[in-house]
Amino acid sequence: MGDLERLPVGIVGASGYGGVQLVRLLMDHPSVEVVYLGGDSSAGKQFSDLYPHLGHCVNLTIEPIDLDLIASRCQVVFLSLPNGLAYQMAPTLLSKGCKVIDLSADYRFWNPETYKAWYGGERNDPETAALAVYGLPELYRDRIKEAQLIGCPGCYVTTSLLGLAPLLKQGLIVPDTAIIDGKSGASGAGRTAKTNLLLAEADNSISPYGVTRHRHTPEIEQICSDLAGHEVTVQFTPHLVPMVRGLLATIYATLRDPGLVREDLVTIYTAFYRSSPFVRILPSGTYPQTKWACGTNLCFISIEVDPRTGRVIVMSATDNLIKGQAGQAIQCLNLMMGWQETLGLPVVSFYP
Amino acid sequence: MGDLERLPVGIVGASGYGGVQLVRLLMDHPSVEVVYLGGDSSAGKQFSDLYPHLGHCVNLTIEPIDLDLIASRCQVVFLSLPNGLAYQMAPTLLSKGCKVIDLSADYRFWNPETYKAWYGGERNDPETAALAVYGLPELYRDRIKEAQLIGCPGCYVTTSLLGLAPLLKQGLIVPDTAIIDGKSGASGAGRTAKTNLLLAEADNSISPYGVTRHRHTPEIEQICSDLAGHEVTVQFTPHLVPMVRGLLATIYATLRDPGLVREDLVTIYTAFYRSSPFVRILPSGTYPQTKWACGTNLCFISIEVDPRTGRVIVMSATDNLIKGQAGQAIQCLNLMMGWQETLGLPVVSFYP
Amino acid sequence: MGDLERLPVGIVGASGYGGVQLVRLLMDHPSVEVVYLGGDSSAGKQFSDLYPHLGHCVNLTIEPIDLDLIASRCQVVFLSLPNGLAYQMAPTLLSKGCKVIDLSADYRFWNPETYKAWYGGERNDPETAALAVYGLPELYRDRIKEAQLIGCPGCYVTTSLLGLAPLLKQGLIVPDTAIIDGKSGASGAGRTAKTNLLLAEADNSISPYGVTRHRHTPEIEQICSDLAGHEVTVQFTPHLVPMVRGLLATIYATLRDPGLVREDLVTIYTAFYRSSPFVRILPSGTYPQTKWACGTNLCFISIEVDPRTGRVIVMSATDNLIKGQAGQAIQCLNLMMGWQETLGLPVVSFYP
Amino acid sequence: MGDLERLPVGIVGASGYGGVQLVRLLMDHPSVEVVYLGGDSSAGKQFSDLYPHLGHCVNLTIEPIDLDLIASRCQVVFLSLPNGLAYQMAPTLLSKGCKVIDLSADYRFWNPETYKAWYGGERNDPETAALAVYGLPELYRDRIKEAQLIGCPGCYVTTSLLGLAPLLKQGLIVPDTAIIDGKSGASGAGRTAKTNLLLAEADNSISPYGVTRHRHTPEIEQICSDLAGHEVTVQFTPHLVPMVRGLLATIYATLRDPGLVREDLVTIYTAFYRSSPFVRILPSGTYPQTKWACGTNLCFISIEVDPRTGRVIVMSATDNLIKGQAGQAIQCLNLMMGWQETLGLPVVSFYP
């Protein structure tokens, strides 16, 4: 490190899975240098104390979270913290000239009331929140290029929206018929020790959770409504799957035009994502395995039409920690800096 | 063995998962004696050559499939074979006085055309097929008690139907809105070696298959239509989950009466299954883990209502190899013999 | 429940895996009635709040740990607690006439100094400790029959000792050449939430731990020395395997007589365990899968001799939560009560 | 593709895991262009028909295996075939001026009799075999630089030898006391469908295989003997672990000098591997998780000394498909071409 031409960036919240993925990917990024890792409980530790397998390639100490110090050192700051912390830091960092990319829910909502209703907390950063751009490049690429503050969506929402967007944008479905059955690997719940996430509990079992009331629901609806041009209500059911990483959204919706066939939709999706290098529309009849996306920033999408029921079934698969988290944040960085969108982002899975 | 008061039964197709589960459960059944194990490729082998872990408690040789010999020795015959073989054996076995419990698809369909359309094959057993009773005790208990020939449903269909039955029987949903998102462990695909079922391929990944065209669809619709009293079309999407056993059906449907709340449905389901000892309606807000059912003949059901969307979401979980296969066949046997329905069937999971 | 002829037993520490396995197995035990479940943090909860899948068959509240109350209600008490708590309760319970079966390390050591050296803590129960019998029935059956207090060994130690015992007892190996490479499923570490046991961390990875200094080492050596009649030092290395349950010990030792062949040892082992219904010596060339033992109280043992190296390799497999924990405690109970040793203990695996 | 400055290479046997890893890694290699993929059963198929997740980045057809065509197009050929096929192709390819890197066992043995004894088959390529260099760069780097034909060792052997080499080379252990307890993920057995490798069979279970007679034993002994300067006999026991990839070797040996302590050996290992960029000696007391190596060409090594037993315990972990297969072959290529040894080889795990 020490290359003067590289962009100096910092990561606040480096000890979780979001942090370690950011570190891992940014290390291989040709135009970035990680100059700051910040943590609270982990402050003072070597990063390699937390992740010994990176000891040979990451020689950084986790420092206390000091906004002045961060701003003095970094041009871009990634915030990878629990919900409710980013909005206490972003205003200051922005005022000191940093660009901020937040991976939490804090800056994903356009209506502060919605955030408060689902996440609680007293916020006094309305002006800052108003500046935030929703960090899903495939849908908001141009705004991201101009943004100073990004609120990146997470794995369930990203994977679901990429699967639904062309249908809503082009008015192909009856909007309120959209049902998203989501399946996530255990890393999506983070690295905090919880009994229900122990291997002994979660392995060899699948279970739903947050049924009808998961906090990602209003976020999905916000973007679906924006795409459709009117209020859209969706059904979202997440499931914990006994695997480390990977996210699959199986999406059901009723077609407005029952005459549409699968090939029509494959054509529509392919066109819709023509300029999106990370979205791969699979050939008709090929369905995604989440494993195909693992280790990459890709989203694999497959579409089926059932003439018997008049429904379209969209299957969308990502790596929850990359396109669903750290990779997407870096994709936003690339756009914000005017770099090639794909810079430093993997597209080949470590299959099997 | 050799207890004269026990019912002599035979298992044709003992080498697969259905067979080994039947052997395992029938060994502990107080009123049954397994006097015949039949196989084709495995004929001549000791059963313990295939399953060394049962060597200490099963001392049986797998014999060739000889219908005369089977009939001379067994009063009840379980057929656990690939689709298309049972209907070549059942007529003869019945004519020789055996009761037959088939675990394949051969005797599940009331309309021979439907079977032919989805499974192919030339059949000339219309009279026999007409005698077959659908082996789902919770829905067809009385007919099963009188039956000579049973066609047992498999894991996806059983788990889905137990989740849907009260809604359809009582006209609570708009029938064609029913969507079943099914998730199955790998043992549901049987013990035949296939590349996509290798641990190296299937572990750490989830994927859909047979989307819009899975052969269980017409079977689910047959029973749903019978319950509703008119033709019902359902959407069914199976998924391969990286676990050995367990089956979860997440079912979505639109309520006819949007005023119904969760507690109403919990009450309705509890009443509907009052006489069904293997169906457990979970308390409101508790969702099933498939692991809870593993090793048992139970089906755990949880119900949610989403007032925002007017939908009911039913989550139904079973052990695909027990309530979804061998246990259900034994439950049918108990009814056919006038025994207590729960005889010899486990109800305590081997959790974790 | 309420059957007057059944033995009233209590379980202190009902919320962990040891507790839930004890509950599960004792429910099916024909001569026992569980009349007390005790817990600390979980006191006041319904047992089914912790384990909803048992709600239909266990209707017990977890009560505070009150030794007078326990003694007034129970004739036998199982202690399934973290190390260091049993020795604070056992003396009182014994003085009040209860028999005590402890699943922790507290009563496994014959030399108090050894316990103190490896587990720490100040103990003032020397008289009580002196009464304790080591709860491994295959080696100490007669003493267990007479015991009032049992210290049951855990999964690693039980599985290792059953594999080593015939070799040491009959002086077939050079004792200090014994190396035990142990592999355990994650449930062996209990149900307490720890980061390294999360599915996201532990799945798809295997790792050693406690190398050269694991606390089971002195316990294994205590019994090996007793069997050999002189001090024995062993090498023990545990590994965390990405599976829920199961324990495999791969044991290496140098034969005193290089002329011995595999069949000799199979004969010796078979004779040694002739009266031990739960130990199964596998046919030559058949190696155990831990899965074969899962759900049972069995220990599968396979023996190989390598004429090239003069070593014997013993492979010993159990279910860490049954023969390695709860099942063994119940096996001890059966012996203490003069019942058939196998009463209420499963011998058929829930394979696959 | 078509970059004239890149080295044109071919892969024979592209459809297996070795092949797909070679394709994946070589695609990202800055100095190589894959110009030929050869297969037998898969000839004529698009590579992306076998691996749809690579459809966006690999546009190659699998061609029949035609040695003239291969030699006309490729300067270096990777042979990733079942044992016994490479020696039927290598002589011709070499005679036509290709360099050959074989991933099978065909060219690993210096004594043709040893190969014949363990692998069978009639071979008439003694001159060619005599040219082969053993493809373990950490031990034979200089010879590999000059080689035309490489026989690359596989996962078990590579991981074991890297763990043992410093001890043998420097005479620190009593050679015949070496015991290797190996643990491998299921991908190590390849992609051919076998019942025992099905997820339903292999998941949630660990089991040994090939005990005392595995074919890797003579290969490990060949190199150990070369390092020690005299005949060495080792004990090797492989185990199938329920994970997709990863290999751990737990190695036990008796120290010649019981006075050596852990830090001495850490120093010795660090020095021994000073020029080996892919070997990482872990800090004292840190033990490897196989997951740390997954996705990389690294080998993590940890060393313990047990003063009680006088043994050294070495733990060595790799990704069986990279350092244990495809990555190692590319490391050899880099050396053969005089490139930087690390070119195009990943060193950051995709943890978790």
Side-chain angles (χ1 to χ4, degrees):
Chain A
M1 300 197 174
D3 181 337
L4 291 184
E5 299 175 7
R6 290 175 170 234
L7 179 80
V9 307
I11 301 169
V12 183
S15 62
Y17 289 140
V20 70
Q21 294 297 321
L22 281 168
V23 169
R24 170 184 159 241
L25 293 171
L26 290 173
M27 271 167 35
D28 292 339
H29 194 291
S31 304
V32 168
E33 177 180 359
V34 178
V35 297
Y36 169 86
L37 294 182
D40 201 348
S41 55
S42 56
K45 288 185 183 157
Q46 283 290 313
F47 186 72
S48 57
D49 295 338
L50 301 177
Y51 296 102
H53 67 287
L54 297 181
H56 60 285
C57 45
V58 183
N59 181 19
L60 287 167
T61 306
I62 299 179
E63 304 181 62
I65 302 176
D66 173 333
L67 300 184
D68 291 325
L69 177 135
I70 297 169
S72 70
R73 232 192 271 168
C74 309
Q75 287 183 37
V76 178
V77 182
F78 293 90
L79 302 179
S80 181
L81 298 160
N83 299 319
L85 295 176
Y87 68 70
Q88 301 175 35
M89 304 178 187
T92 307
L93 290 168
L94 290 164
S95 71
K96 293 173 180 294
C98 296
K99 293 175 191 275
V100 175
I101 300 175
D102 179 33
L103 283 72
S104 82
D106 288 13
Y107 288 108
R108 294 174 189 163
F109 290 89
W110 300 334
N111 180 343
E113 293 313 309
T114 311
Y115 179 88
K116 196 172 295 180
W118 290 82
Y119 291 85
E122 278 314 314
R123 295 180 58 160
N124 47 15
D125 62 334
E127 303 77 3
T128 308
L131 296 173
V133 172
Y134 195 75
L136 186 48
E138 287 74 13
L139 302 183
Y140 300 102
R141 186 172 282 111
D142 295 341
R143 289 190 226 164
I144 292 168
K145 289 178 180 173
E146 307 304 323
Q148 303 299 307
L149 171 60
I150 299 284
C152 284
C155 49
Y156 275 120
V157 177
T158 296
T159 313
S160 302
L161 289 174
L162 292 177
L164 273 167
L167 299 175
L168 290 162
K169 187 71 177 174
Q170 309 202 0
L172 299 173
I173 58 171
V174 184
D176 291 356
T177 61
I179 294 175
I180 301 161
D181 192 276
K183 296 99 173 167
S184 173
S187 63
R191 207 187 185 203
T192 307
K194 294 178 190 155
T195 300
N196 67 310
L197 299 174
L198 291 174
L199 187 144
E201 292 290 305
D203 198 18
N204 253 284
S205 201
I206 183 170
S207 59
Y209 60 97
V211 184
T212 74
R213 50 182 59 80
H214 196 283
R215 299 196 292 190
H216 288 337
T217 307
E219 187 183 340
I220 295 171
E221 291 177 340
Q222 166 182 276
I223 306 303
C224 286
S225 301
D226 186 45
L227 291 164
H230 56 76
E231 280 299 305
V232 173
T233 303
V234 303
Q235 191 78 61
F236 170 62
T237 308
H239 296 76
L240 177 63
V241 179
M243 59 189 185
V244 174
R245 57 206 287 175
L247 199 134
L248 177 71
T250 309
I251 303 169
Y252 304 86
T254 299
L255 287 167
R256 275 229 175 78
D257 172 0
L260 283 175
V261 297
R262 181 169 67 179
E263 286 60 32
D264 300 327
L265 291 168
V266 169
T267 305
I268 290 167
Y269 271 68
T270 304
F272 187 91
Y273 288 116
R274 181 177 293 107
S275 318
S276 293
F278 294 113
V279 180
R280 301 291 167 183
I281 310 304
L282 289 163
S284 293
T286 301
Y287 307 131
Q289 300 179 24
T290 53
K291 179 179 282 190
W292 291 352
C294 280
T296 79
N297 199 53
L298 298 175
C299 178
F300 285 99
I301 294 178
S302 179
I303 307 121
E304 274 293 350
V305 169
D306 190 341
R308 297 170 59 260
T309 63
R311 287 197 194 88
V312 56
I313 297 109
V314 181
M315 296 144 276
S316 178
T318 62
D319 182 328
N320 58 301
L321 296 179
I322 302 187
K323 182 57 178 171
Q325 191 177 41
Q328 180 140 278
I330 293 169
Q331 188 180 351
C332 289
L333 172 71
N334 290 341
L335 291 169
M336 292 164 82
M337 302 307 297
W339 298 333
Q340 187 184 7
E341 188 170 343
T342 55
L343 208 61
L345 290 169
V347 296
V348 182
S349 160
F350 45 72
Y351 182 96
Chain B
M1 300 197 176
D3 180 337
L4 292 183
E5 300 176 3
R6 290 174 169 235
L7 179 80
V9 307
I11 301 168
V12 184
S15 62
Y17 289 139
V20 71
Q21 293 298 320
L22 281 169
V23 169
R24 169 183 161 244
L25 293 171
L26 290 173
M27 271 167 36
D28 292 338
H29 194 294
S31 305
V32 167
E33 178 181 359
V34 178
V35 297
Y36 169 86
L37 295 182
D40 200 347
S41 55
S42 56
K45 288 187 183 152
Q46 282 290 312
F47 185 72
S48 57
D49 295 338
L50 301 176
Y51 296 103
H53 66 288
L54 297 182
H56 59 286
C57 46
V58 183
N59 182 19
L60 287 167
T61 305
I62 300 179
E63 305 181 60
I65 303 176
D66 173 332
L67 300 185
D68 291 326
L69 176 133
I70 296 169
S72 70
R73 234 193 268 168
C74 309
Q75 287 182 37
V76 178
V77 183
F78 293 89
L79 301 179
S80 181
L81 298 160
N83 299 318
L85 295 175
Y87 67 71
Q88 301 175 36
M89 304 178 186
T92 306
L93 290 168
L94 290 164
S95 70
K96 294 174 180 295
C98 297
K99 292 175 193 277
V100 176
I101 300 175
D102 179 33
L103 281 71
S104 82
D106 288 13
Y107 289 108
R108 295 174 187 163
F109 291 89
W110 300 334
N111 180 343
E113 293 313 310
T114 311
Y115 179 88
K116 197 173 295 180
W118 291 81
Y119 291 85
E122 279 314 312
R123 295 179 57 160
N124 48 16
D125 63 332
E127 304 76 4
T128 308
L131 297 174
V133 172
Y134 194 76
L136 186 48
E138 287 73 14
L139 302 183
Y140 300 103
R141 186 172 281 110
D142 294 340
R143 290 191 224 161
I144 291 168
K145 289 178 179 173
E146 308 304 322
Q148 303 299 308
L149 170 62
I150 300 283
C152 284
C155 49
Y156 274 120
V157 178
T158 295
T159 313
S160 302
L161 289 174
L162 292 177
L164 272 169
L167 298 174
L168 289 162
K169 187 71 178 178
Q170 309 201 1
L172 299 173
I173 58 170
V174 184
D176 291 355
T177 61
I179 293 175
I180 301 161
D181 191 276
K183 296 98 173 168
S184 173
S187 62
R191 207 186 184 203
T192 308
K194 294 178 190 153
T195 300
N196 67 310
L197 299 175
L198 291 174
L199 186 143
E201 293 289 307
D203 199 17
N204 254 282
S205 201
I206 182 169
S207 58
Y209 60 97
V211 183
T212 74
R213 50 183 61 80
H214 194 283
R215 299 196 291 190
H216 289 337
T217 307
E219 185 183 341
I220 296 170
E221 291 177 338
Q222 166 183 274
I223 307 302
C224 286
S225 302
D226 185 43
L227 291 164
H230 57 77
E231 280 299 307
V232 173
T233 303
V234 303
Q235 192 78 59
F236 169 63
T237 308
H239 295 77
L240 177 63
V241 179
M243 59 188 186
V244 174
R245 57 205 290 177
L247 199 134
L248 177 70
T250 310
I251 304 169
Y252 304 87
T254 299
L255 287 166
R256 275 227 176 80
D257 171 1
L260 282 175
V261 297
R262 180 170 68 178
E263 286 61 31
D264 299 328
L265 290 168
V266 169
T267 306
I268 289 166
Y269 271 69
T270 305
F272 188 91
Y273 288 117
R274 182 175 293 106
S275 319
S276 293
F278 294 114
V279 179
R280 301 290 166 185
I281 310 304
L282 288 164
S284 292
T286 301
Y287 308 131
Q289 299 179 24
T290 53
K291 180 179 281 190
W292 291 353
C294 280
T296 79
N297 199 52
L298 298 175
C299 178
F300 285 98
I301 293 178
S302 179
I303 307 122
E304 274 293 349
V305 169
D306 191 341
R308 298 171 59 260
T309 63
R311 288 196 193 87
V312 56
I313 296 109
V314 182
M315 296 143 276
S316 177
T318 62
D319 182 329
N320 58 301
L321 296 179
I322 302 188
K323 182 55 179 172
Q325 191 177 41
Q328 179 139 281
I330 293 169
Q331 188 180 351
C332 290
L333 171 71
N334 290 340
L335 292 168
M336 292 164 83
M337 302 307 297
W339 298 334
Q340 188 184 5
E341 188 170 343
T342 56
L343 208 62
L345 289 169
V347 295
V348 183
S349 161
F350 46 71
Y351 182 95
Chain C
M1 300 201 176
D3 181 337
L4 291 183
E5 299 176 4
R6 290 175 168 235
L7 179 79
V9 307
I11 301 169
V12 184
S15 62
Y17 289 140
V20 71
Q21 293 298 320
L22 280 169
V23 169
R24 169 184 161 241
L25 293 170
L26 290 172
M27 270 167 35
D28 291 339
H29 194 293
S31 305
V32 167
E33 177 181 359
V34 178
V35 296
Y36 169 86
L37 295 182
D40 200 348
S41 55
S42 57
K45 289 187 184 153
Q46 282 290 312
F47 186 72
S48 56
D49 295 338
L50 301 176
Y51 296 103
H53 66 287
L54 298 182
H56 59 286
C57 46
V58 183
N59 181 20
L60 288 167
T61 306
I62 299 180
E63 305 181 61
I65 302 176
D66 173 331
L67 300 185
D68 291 326
L69 177 135
I70 296 169
S72 70
R73 231 193 273 170
C74 309
Q75 287 183 37
V76 179
V77 183
F78 293 90
L79 302 180
S80 181
L81 298 160
N83 300 317
L85 294 177
Y87 68 70
Q88 300 175 36
M89 304 177 185
T92 307
L93 290 169
L94 290 164
S95 71
K96 294 174 180 294
C98 297
K99 293 174 191 273
V100 175
I101 301 174
D102 179 33
L103 282 71
S104 82
D106 288 12
Y107 289 108
R108 295 174 188 163
F109 291 89
W110 300 335
N111 180 343
E113 293 313 309
T114 312
Y115 179 88
K116 196 172 296 178
W118 290 81
Y119 291 85
E122 279 313 313
R123 295 179 57 159
N124 48 14
D125 62 333
E127 304 76 6
T128 308
L131 296 174
V133 171
Y134 195 76
L136 186 48
E138 287 72 15
L139 301 183
Y140 299 101
R141 187 171 281 110
D142 294 340
R143 290 191 223 162
I144 292 168
K145 289 178 179 173
E146 309 304 322
Q148 302 300 308
L149 170 62
I150 300 283
C152 283
C155 48
Y156 274 120
V157 178
T158 296
T159 313
S160 301
L161 289 175
L162 292 177
L164 272 168
L167 298 174
L168 289 162
K169 187 71 178 177
Q170 309 202 0
L172 300 173
I173 58 170
V174 184
D176 291 356
T177 61
I179 294 174
I180 301 160
D181 192 275
K183 295 100 174 167
S184 173
S187 62
R191 206 186 185 204
T192 307
K194 294 177 189 155
T195 300
N196 67 311
L197 299 175
L198 291 174
L199 187 144
E201 292 290 307
D203 198 18
N204 253 282
S205 201
I206 182 169
S207 59
Y209 61 98
V211 184
T212 74
R213 49 182 60 80
H214 195 284
R215 299 196 293 190
H216 289 336
T217 307
E219 186 183 340
I220 296 170
E221 291 177 338
Q222 166 183 275
I223 307 302
C224 286
S225 301
D226 186 45
L227 291 164
H230 57 76
E231 280 300 306
V232 174
T233 304
V234 303
Q235 192 78 61
F236 169 63
T237 308
H239 295 78
L240 178 62
V241 179
M243 58 188 187
V244 174
R245 57 206 288 176
L247 199 135
L248 177 70
T250 310
I251 303 168
Y252 304 86
T254 299
L255 287 167
R256 275 228 175 79
D257 171 1
L260 282 175
V261 297
R262 181 169 68 178
E263 286 61 30
D264 300 328
L265 290 168
V266 169
T267 306
I268 290 166
Y269 271 69
T270 304
F272 187 90
Y273 288 116
R274 183 177 292 106
S275 318
S276 294
F278 293 114
V279 179
R280 300 291 166 184
I281 310 304
L282 288 163
S284 292
T286 301
Y287 308 130
Q289 299 178 25
T290 52
K291 179 179 281 190
W292 291 352
C294 280
T296 79
N297 199 53
L298 298 174
C299 178
F300 285 99
I301 294 177
S302 179
I303 307 121
E304 274 293 349
V305 169
D306 190 342
R308 298 171 59 260
T309 63
R311 287 198 193 87
V312 56
I313 296 110
V314 182
M315 295 143 277
S316 178
T318 62
D319 182 328
N320 58 300
L321 296 179
I322 303 188
K323 182 56 179 172
Q325 191 177 40
Q328 179 139 279
I330 293 168
Q331 187 180 352
C332 289
L333 171 71
N334 289 341
L335 292 168
M336 291 165 83
M337 301 307 297
W339 299 333
Q340 188 185 5
E341 188 169 344
T342 56
L343 207 62
L345 289 169
V347 295
V348 183
S349 161
F350 47 70
Y351 181 96
Chain D
M1 301 198 178
D3 180 336
L4 291 184
E5 298 175 6
R6 290 176 169 234
L7 179 80
V9 307
I11 301 168
V12 184
S15 62
Y17 288 139
V20 71
Q21 294 297 321
L22 280 169
V23 170
R24 170 183 160 241
L25 293 171
L26 290 173
M27 270 168 35
D28 291 340
H29 194 292
S31 305
V32 168
E33 177 181 0
V34 177
V35 296
Y36 169 87
L37 294 182
D40 200 348
S41 55
S42 57
K45 288 185 183 156
Q46 282 291 311
F47 185 71
S48 56
D49 295 338
L50 300 177
Y51 296 103
H53 67 287
L54 298 182
H56 59 286
C57 46
V58 183
N59 182 18
L60 287 167
T61 306
I62 299 180
E63 305 181 63
I65 302 176
D66 173 332
L67 300 184
D68 291 327
L69 176 135
I70 296 169
S72 70
R73 234 193 270 169
C74 309
Q75 287 182 37
V76 178
V77 183
F78 293 90
L79 302 179
S80 181
L81 298 161
N83 299 318
L85 295 176
Y87 67 70
Q88 301 175 37
M89 304 178 186
T92 307
L93 291 168
L94 290 164
S95 71
K96 294 174 180 293
C98 297
K99 292 175 192 275
V100 175
I101 301 174
D102 179 34
L103 283 72
S104 82
D106 287 13
Y107 289 107
R108 295 174 188 163
F109 290 89
W110 300 334
N111 180 343
E113 293 313 309
T114 311
Y115 179 88
K116 196 172 295 178
W118 290 82
Y119 292 84
E122 280 314 313
R123 296 179 56 160
N124 47 16
D125 62 333
E127 303 76 6
T128 308
L131 297 173
V133 172
Y134 194 76
L136 187 49
E138 287 74 15
L139 301 183
Y140 300 102
R141 185 172 282 110
D142 294 340
R143 291 191 223 163
I144 292 168
K145 289 177 179 172
E146 308 304 322
Q148 302 301 307
L149 170 61
I150 300 284
C152 284
C155 49
Y156 274 120
V157 177
T158 296
T159 314
S160 302
L161 289 175
L162 292 177
L164 272 168
L167 299 174
L168 289 162
K169 187 70 177 177
Q170 309 202 1
L172 300 173
I173 57 169
V174 184
D176 291 356
T177 61
I179 294 175
I180 301 160
D181 192 276
K183 296 98 172 166
S184 173
S187 63
R191 206 186 185 202
T192 307
K194 294 179 190 154
T195 299
N196 67 311
L197 298 175
L198 291 173
L199 187 144
E201 293 290 306
D203 198 18
N204 253 284
S205 201
I206 182 170
S207 59
Y209 60 98
V211 184
T212 75
R213 49 183 60 80
H214 194 282
R215 299 195 293 188
H216 289 336
T217 307
E219 186 183 341
I220 296 171
E221 290 177 339
Q222 166 183 275
I223 307 302
C224 286
S225 301
D226 185 44
L227 291 163
H230 56 76
E231 280 300 305
V232 173
T233 303
V234 303
Q235 191 78 61
F236 170 63
T237 308
H239 296 77
L240 177 63
V241 179
M243 59 189 185
V244 174
R245 56 205 291 176
L247 199 134
L248 177 71
T250 310
I251 303 169
Y252 304 87
T254 299
L255 287 167
R256 274 228 176 79
D257 171 1
L260 283 175
V261 297
R262 181 170 67 179
E263 285 62 31
D264 299 329
L265 291 167
V266 170
T267 305
I268 290 167
Y269 272 68
T270 304
F272 188 90
Y273 289 116
R274 181 176 294 106
S275 318
S276 294
F278 294 114
V279 180
R280 301 291 167 184
I281 310 304
L282 289 164
S284 292
T286 301
Y287 308 131
Q289 300 179 23
T290 53
K291 179 180 281 189
W292 291 353
C294 280
T296 79
N297 199 52
L298 298 174
C299 178
F300 285 98
I301 294 178
S302 180
I303 307 122
E304 274 292 350
V305 169
D306 190 342
R308 299 171 58 261
T309 63
R311 286 196 194 87
V312 57
I313 297 110
V314 181
M315 296 143 276
S316 179
T318 61
D319 182 329
N320 58 301
L321 296 178
I322 302 187
K323 182 56 179 171
Q325 191 177 41
Q328 180 140 277
I330 293 168
Q331 188 180 351
C332 289
L333 171 71
N334 290 341
L335 292 168
M336 292 164 83
M337 302 307 297
W339 298 333
Q340 189 184 4
E341 187 170 343
T342 55
L343 209 61
L345 289 168
V347 295
V348 182
S349 161
F350 46 71
Y351 181 95

